[in-house]
Amino acid sequence: MSSAFSVEGFRSLAKRRLPRMVFDYLEGGAEDEKCLQRNRLAFDEWEFRPRRLADVSTRDLSVNLLGNALPMPLLVAPTGLNGAFWPRGDIALATAARKAGIPFMLSTAANASIEQVADKAGGELWFQLYVVHPSLADQLVARALAAGCRTLVLTTDVAVNGKRERDLRSGFGLPFKYTPKVMLDGMLHPRWSMSLLAGGMPQMANFANQDANNVELQAALLSRKMDASFDWEALKRLRQQWPHRLLVKGILHPDDAARCIELGADGVILSNHGGRQLDSSCSPMSVLKDIALAHPGRVLVDSGFRRGSDVVKAMALGAAGVLIGRPLLYGLAAAGEAGASQVLSIFKDEMDRTLANMGCAAMAGLSLEHINSVRG
Ligand SMILES: Cc1cc2nc3c(=O)[nH]c(=O)nc-3n(C[C@H](O)[C@H](O)[C@H](O)COP(=O)(O)O)c2cc1C
C-alpha cells in the first residue's frame, strides 16, 4: 500500500484488485456521468482566505454533531453491496468507523444484517432506510431500533433507479451471472476471486430468511425499485414511528430542507447520491451555504469529497458533518478494514494540514470568513 498517499492512490489499488464489472458498479454514475464530474468541480468554486499569525501549533478537528462529540466531522455513507468489494465488507467498514470514533451508516441493501453489524462491529451504528415496501420498512425500522440504532437515515433520492449504463453493459447484479466475460474478468483478478470463493456470494442480508416475498423484494431492492409513492404524509408517519434521531438524505432544495425540519426531522443530508441518480442534478456543494445558514447545525452533506480540504470547505460553508462514500470503498476494496482505516487517516491528515495552513486551529472555529466564492 506504499503508493497510496491519497484517495486517488487507493482508487488505483481498488481498480487493480476488482474485476471491471465490480469496479464499475462502485465507480459509476447515471447516464453521461456529468454529475460525477460536477460534484468534483463544485469544490473549485470555493477558495480559502487563510489567516496569518494565529497560533496553530495544536489543532482540534473535533465537532459537535447534533449534540454528539465527534473526533472529526466525517461519517461513513451508507453503501449497498459492500460484500462485493471485500468479504464481510460492512463489518470491515463499521469496524474502521468504530476505531476512528465516527458513525457508520448501514444500508438497507447491506450484505450484513443490522443485527450482525451491531453484534460484530459495535460503535455508533446508524441505519439507512430504503422504502421498498411500506410493511417491509416497518419491519426494518423495528429491527434497527431493537439492534440499538439511535439514528435513522431515510434516503429520498431513489424514486426509480438511476440509469447506470456501466451496470447495464456489464449485467452487474447479485448473484453474479457467470457469463464467459465475467469468468474471464474474475480470472484476471485472482485475489478478488479467491476472496469471493472463501467468503461466499454476498447476500442481501437484511432480507435473508424472511417471508415468501423475499426473492421479489431482493430483486426490487437490487434494481432499486422503491415505493415511489413515498411522500410528505409518509414522512410524517415515519417521524411518529421512530422515537430517536431522524435524518433525511438526498435533499437539495431549500424548501424541502425546511419542510423536513418542520415535520420534525433532526437534520437533512444534502446529496445527489454521488451522481448515481439524476445526471443533471445540482451539486450539494452549490446549495450548501444557503441551506446551512437557514438550519445551523442540522445540515450534513456528501457527494464528491476526495480531499481533507474538500471537507474543510464544506465545514466553512456551515455543514455539520460530511459523509464519505466511494473513497472508503476504494480503501475497502484495496485492503479491507486496514484500507478503509488508512483512507480515514488520509482525510484526517489532510484536514489537519489544511486547518494549520489556513491559520485556523479548530474545525469548530471555521466560518464563512474563511472562504470565498471564486465568482466573487
Ligand atoms: C457503490 C455505492 C452504493 C451506494 N448505495 C447506497 C445505499 O444503499 N443507500 C444510500 O442511501 N446511498 C447509497 N449510495 C450513495 C452514498 O450513500 C453517498 O451518497 C455517495 O456515495 C456520496 O458520494 P461519493 O461516493 O462521491 O462520496 C451508494 C454509493 C455508492 C458509490
Side-chain angles (χ1 to χ4, degrees), residues 12 20 55 60 69 141 144 166 188-189 216 227 267 291 311 322 329 336 366:
S12 302
R20 171 84 189 262
D55 177 358
D60 177 7
V141 167
R166 298 196 203 207
L188 292 172
H189 298 88
E216 212 176 301
D227 175 6
I291 299 181
V311 179
V322 171
L329 301 183
L366 285 168

Side-chain angles (χ1 to χ4, degrees), residues 46 48 64-65 71 133 139 155 158 164 181 237 326 334 356:
W46 299 100
F48 292 124
N64 184 309
L65 178 76
H133 186 280
Q139 288 174 38
T155 296
V158 186
R164 300 185 199 153
K181 197 169 148 202
R237 282 194 296 278
R326 291 183 189 81

Side-chain angles (χ1 to χ4, degrees), residues 25-26 77-80 85 107 109 128 130 155 249 271 273-274 276 302-306 323-327 329:
Y25 161 69
L26 189 171
T79 51
F85 309 124
S107 164
Q128 176 266 322
Y130 274 139
T155 296
K249 178 170 181 278
S271 172
H273 216 99
R276 291 164 82 80
D302 75 20
S303 299
F305 289 78
R306 300 292 179 269
L323 282 64
I324 305 295
R326 291 183 189 81
L329 301 183

Side-chain angles (χ1 to χ4, degrees), residues 113-141:
S113 69
I114 310 171
E115 294 79 9
Q116 282 165 338
V117 179
D119 181 43
K120 296 277 184 323
E124 173 85 12
L125 177 61
W126 296 12
F127 183 67
Q128 176 266 322
L129 181 67
Y130 274 139
V131 179
V132 181
H133 186 280
S135 70
L136 178 69
D138 289 350
Q139 288 174 38
L140 289 171
V141 167

